[in-house]
Amino acid sequence: MESKRNQICNDEDILSTLEKRAGLNLFNHDLVEYQGFWYPDMAVVTRTLSAQRQFQAQSSDVFLCSAPKTGTTWLKALSFAIVSRTTVVDDGSTAANPFHSKLPHGCLPLLEISVTNRDPNNPLIATHLPFSSLPESVSGCRIVYVCRDPKDTFVSMYHFLAKLATSRNMEPVHLDKAFELFCNGESFYGPYWDHVLGYWNASLEQPDRILFLKYEEMMEDACFYTKKLAEFMGYGFTLEEEKKGMVEKIVEMCSFENLRNLEVNKDGKVGKNGPWEMKNNLFFREGRIRDWENHLTPDMAKHMDFITHSKLSGSDLNLLYHKK
Ligand code: A3P
């Protein structure tokens, strides 16, 4: 009891000393720095700390990890469809397809929000936490990480925040300012490059436990990566399933076009009545590789590539996507 009380005081001390900064965020929210990364607000940091203290992972859990705007929605959809395919895909009916009634984000818990009342048939948990901040008990679980060219990640985040601000009658941040903040690492779970490197280095050390994916490569061969993802998670496809076209069915069901055009993703909302309530359609914008070409000047692209090269120097990771 005494030690619990001390821990609460200790946690309150930790939280009260954290640095806050406007950063790339909605104007009425400050980013909060925690363990070397910028979080969307204090509530998320508080819940992260509590997950770090209390969350007990099961060895069968599979963590879907990503920095925001790198393909999280897609990875969640594919993974959920893979693990629940016998009920949600085989059937083929609209009623059985969960994506008709909710965003893929609603199909699995988010570690830094809440992991209570879990469905025992669903081993998936998502998180935006950096690798170095994952709760200790996750160290025995499989992890899938998705990343994306920083230029497209930035452009996606800029539009996401601009639309969110406009929907609340708030002034959207200017592109140049947003760019500067992202490059400084002052964005959701930024610095982006550090987020990616944490998982990349861990995947090199433990390749059997951590699957490192790139959005662009998945876009180029979605079937190949869907099979790879399924196998890695322990849900590999049987030959019979492959012959019946199960892989293609899942890819189709989770495609950008398909998800974006569902009624629930045109009109529905997530986080209802909370500080981050937003329309589902904010998660579906272009769904393309190299859309940055339409938004960044050549100088901006050069500058961000320079940062990417500097940050990743000494690692074998290539985050920049080049047309084939
Ligand atoms: P753009 O803004 O470049 O279009 P996240 O899911 O991590 O928030 O990332 C959002 C990005 O993924 C957006 O990129 C969005 O359009 C894209 N996206 C969403 N669903 C997708 C899908 N099923 N397939 C491919 N891309 C998808």
Side-chain angles (χ1 to χ4, degrees):
M1 191 64 187
E2 186 58 24
S3 75
K4 180 112 186 145
R5 209 172 297 132
N6 285 344
Q7 187 168 80
I8 292 170
C9 293
N10 192 11
D11 289 355
E12 281 170 2
D13 285 348
I14 293 174
L15 297 172
S16 67
T17 56
L18 298 180
E19 187 177 340
K20 296 185 193 132
R21 209 174 280 176
L24 182 50
N25 202 344
L26 283 176
F27 283 133
N28 59 352
H29 283 72
D30 276 338
L31 295 176
V32 181
E33 191 187 23
Y34 181 59
Q35 299 181 335
F37 289 84
W38 290 102
Y39 284 64
D41 61 25
M42 191 55 95
V44 180
V45 177
T46 308
R47 286 191 298 257
T48 298
L49 183 59
S50 120
Q52 289 174 329
R53 298 265 191 253
Q54 290 161 17
F55 176 72
Q56 284 307 320
Q58 311 290 315
S59 57
S60 54
D61 288 342
V62 179
F63 284 80
L64 306 180
C65 307
S66 60
K69 312 328 287 175
T70 59
T72 314
T73 313
W74 190 23
L75 178 64
K76 285 181 182 180
L78 286 172
S79 306
F80 186 75
I82 288 169
V83 303
S84 52
R85 63 184 180 261
T86 49
T87 47
V88 308
V89 187
D90 261 355
D91 181 305
S93 72
T94 302
N97 183 338
F99 306 140
H100 278 271
S101 56
K102 54 190 166 199
L103 199 59
H105 297 266
C107 296
L108 51 143
L110 186 64
L111 179 63
E112 55 273 35
I113 298 293
S114 169
V115 276
T116 51
N117 300 326
R118 288 184 59 197
D119 172 355
N121 299 315
N122 181 1
L124 306 173
I125 299 178
T127 184
H128 286 313
L129 295 191
F131 182 78
S132 51
S133 293
L134 291 175
E136 234 172 89
S137 65
V138 177
S139 63
C141 303
R142 273 170 283 198
I143 289 176
V144 183
Y145 184 72
V146 64
C147 67
R148 190 179 192 187
D149 187 312
K151 299 187 292 304
D152 275 329
T153 303
F154 163 70
V155 166
S156 184
M157 189 176 292
Y158 164 72
H159 284 284
F160 174 80
L161 280 169
K163 281 188 203 152
L164 188 57
T166 310
S167 72
R168 295 172 178 208
N169 298 320
M170 290 161 76
E171 184 72 18
V173 59
H174 193 275
L175 180 72
D176 290 339
K177 183 66 189 166
F179 184 80
E180 185 191 322
L181 292 167
F182 186 89
C183 289
N184 281 343
E186 294 167 41
S187 58
F188 293 162
Y189 301 91
Y192 175 60
W193 298 268
D194 297 0
H195 200 282
V196 179
L197 269 177
Y199 282 94
W200 170 252
N201 290 333
S203 75
L204 293 182
E205 278 170 27
Q206 304 177 66
D208 295 341
R209 195 171 79 78
I210 303 174
L211 177 65
F212 190 92
L213 299 173
K214 294 180 184 169
Y215 178 87
E216 293 82 1
E217 290 178 353
M218 289 170 69
M219 288 289 274
E220 280 175 338
D221 196 346
C223 285
F224 173 81
Y225 283 100
T226 299
K227 279 203 269 183
K228 191 169 176 147
L229 177 62
E231 217 154 280
F232 176 81
M233 296 195 299
Y235 289 80
F237 295 98
T238 61
L239 270 179
E240 199 183 331
E241 281 180 314
E242 287 197 27
K243 271 193 218 144
K244 276 178 23 196
M246 178 60 91
V247 181
E248 290 77 6
K249 275 190 213 166
I250 289 179
V251 168
E252 177 67 9
M253 175 178 172
C254 301
S255 72
F256 174 80
E257 291 298 331
N258 243 333
L259 293 181
R260 186 185 56 169
N261 290 326
L262 294 175
E263 280 313 309
V264 69
N265 293 329
K266 289 183 181 158
D267 305 327
K269 282 187 177 175
V270 273
K272 277 193 188 147
N273 304 321
W276 294 99
E277 176 181 298
M278 61 189 84
K279 286 187 96 175
N280 291 356
N281 67 16
L282 283 185
F283 290 93
F284 305 94
R285 193 184 61 91
E286 292 286 332
R288 282 200 287 130
I289 299 174
R290 289 178 77 94
D291 183 48
W292 61 263
E293 289 173 323
N294 299 314
H295 302 279
L296 302 185
T297 63
D299 277 352
M300 286 165 118
K302 220 164 131 189
H303 182 65
M304 201 172 289
D305 285 353
F306 174 78
I307 296 176
T308 302
H309 284 304
S310 325
K311 285 271 199 180
L312 304 189
S313 75
S315 85
D316 287 339
L317 175 61
N318 181 10
L319 258 188
L320 304 183
Y321 173 83
H322 295 287
K323 274 185 213 152
K324 289 200 174 130

